[in-house]
Amino acid sequence: MEDYEYKKVDFNNPSFMFTIEDMLKNMIGVPLFYNPYFKTFGLKGNENVLDFGCGGGSSSRALLKFLSRGGNLTAIDASDFWIKKARKRLEKYTNATFMAGDIRNLYIKDNLFDVISIIHVIHDISPEDRKDTVGAICRKLKQGGRIYIREPIKKSHGMPVDEIRALFNDCELREKDYIISKSEYRGIFAISP
Ligand SMILES: C[S@@+](CC[C@H](N)C(=O)[O-])C[C@H]1O[C@@H](n2cnc3c(N)ncnc32)[C@H](O)[C@@H]1O
């Protein structure tokens, strides 16, 4: 794990490249990347879903399409800049709630979500805050619910697979499925029976 270098990113002052990446995600990322991925969640449409680290809201927009039967989406991001962007992009959705801040301090009931989606967020949290943050996320999951997580795993940009597994195992979640490519870990965790 010590080979992995944590690079702190200032998400409230995104670089030009990062804003271009966000624009592309919003235009082509939704049909090409998010929709096919969220299809694998098997949502019925009435679930309570958390998009943790939603960024500019492209993933939230895609998730909302799968929640048209009474479902609700909560989108959280630590950055005021990105949550503002997400809220503006998705203002027409009455079943979406946006929250800026640290999940460890936000007022959100425990055992609330059927599904929690985390896409490329935990590696951006400082290593000493990861355990408590993942602990807070896990407490928000309903019994029988699932956490879907994707994280980059390259040493130059990412975090170790063992650390991802340990973080969720520490809060009594078990890995139900996973795929590991050269650059990314993709997994599903659920509360152990
Ligand atoms: C690489 S971006 C990924 C954004 C989005 N999930 C996507 O798929 O495009 C990482 C996001 O995580 C957010 N983030 C970082 N630390 C966070 C934390 N402790 N709680 C919530 N969001 C956080 C950042 O503000 C940023 O929007």
Side-chain angles (χ1 to χ4, degrees):
M1 294 199 192
E2 54 276 8
D3 294 347
Y4 282 80
E5 196 196 333
Y6 167 65
K7 294 187 192 98
K8 190 172 169 49
V9 178
D10 181 359
F11 287 105
N12 276 318
N13 294 292
S15 64
F16 176 68
M17 280 314 288
F18 205 90
T19 51
I20 297 291
E21 192 185 314
D22 167 70
M23 233 170 62
L24 290 174
K25 271 188 206 168
N26 199 44
M27 285 181 337
I28 54 171
V30 172
L32 291 183
F33 171 79
Y34 294 113
N35 284 348
Y37 175 54
F38 294 142
K39 209 169 171 190
T40 68
F41 289 15
L43 292 165
K44 292 195 203 82
N46 59 355
E47 292 89 346
N48 213 2
V49 175
L50 170 63
D51 186 4
F52 181 76
C54 63
S58 306
S59 50
S60 305
R61 180 154 69 83
L63 272 167
L64 279 159
K65 293 268 184 303
F66 291 89
L67 295 174
S68 56
R69 294 185 177 167
N72 286 290
L73 181 83
T74 301
I76 295 179
D77 202 282
S79 152
D80 287 333
F81 177 92
W82 288 113
I83 209 78
K84 216 165 134 187
K85 188 156 258 238
R87 187 179 280 128
K88 188 154 178 28
R89 276 181 178 153
L90 301 170
E91 59 193 354
K92 70 170 186 187
Y93 291 93
T94 53
N95 59 341
T97 305
F98 299 89
M99 298 174 102
D102 184 327
I103 193 165
R104 293 172 295 182
N105 309 322
L106 291 173
Y107 180 72
I108 303 169
K109 279 199 279 185
D110 287 349
N111 310 310
L112 187 63
F113 298 107
D114 302 290
V115 166
I116 298 177
S117 170
I118 306 169
I119 304 179
H120 293 203
V121 183
I122 307 298
H123 73 286
D124 277 324
I125 298 176
S126 66
E128 62 273 17
D129 287 332
R130 287 176 191 167
K131 189 175 159 64
D132 286 353
T133 304
V134 170
I137 296 170
C138 293
R139 282 196 294 282
K140 309 301 169 201
L141 186 68
K142 271 185 196 167
Q143 192 76 36
R146 287 158 287 144
I147 296 184
Y148 291 81
I149 177 161
R150 298 174 77 139
E151 289 296 334
I153 55 169
K154 279 192 170 173
K155 285 188 177 156
S156 55
H157 176 73
M159 63 189 290
V161 172
D162 286 350
E163 186 188 351
I164 301 169
R165 289 180 166 146
L167 286 167
F168 288 97
N169 290 341
D170 279 355
C171 45
E172 307 298 324
L173 264 68
R174 294 290 162 260
E175 189 182 51
K176 297 291 177 192
D177 204 358
Y178 67 92
I179 301 171
I180 298 175
S181 71
K182 256 202 319 210
S183 59
E184 191 190 47
Y185 168 88
R186 204 198 268 209
I188 306 173
F189 288 86
I191 299 171
S192 35

